[in-house]
Amino acid sequence: MKVDLHCHSFCSDGELSPLDLIEKAKSSGLNILAVTDHDSIEAYQRYFSQSEQAESETTLNLHTGVEFS
């Protein structure tokens, strides 16, 4: 099982969009992904329905997370 529980999107200090992170996780063969942006849940608020669709097309299991300062 491949898991990444700590990655950041452009909603904080990352370079990729939440949807791009999902695509990268899928292409890397990850089973579980959590986007843990700094002090923000914008990735989930803004992209949730799109992420849900992207998640349903694969075995990727998407979890919520946040990194507090």
Side-chain angles (χ1 to χ4, degrees), residues 13-60:
D13 63 342
E15 295 181 8
L16 299 176
S17 75
L19 296 178
D20 287 340
L21 284 173
I22 289 170
E23 287 304 314
K24 187 171 184 176
K26 288 172 18 180
S27 68
S28 297
L30 285 180
N31 303 100
I32 300 172
L33 175 70
V35 178
T36 54
D37 286 325
H38 293 278
D39 304 312
S40 173
I41 58 170
E42 181 183 356
Y44 297 100
Q45 290 175 322
R46 182 175 288 191
Y47 300 97
F48 181 77
S49 62
Q50 295 170 354
S51 299
E52 203 172 66
Q53 178 183 358
E55 181 183 356
S56 70
E57 296 170 0
T58 184
T59 58
L60 180 67

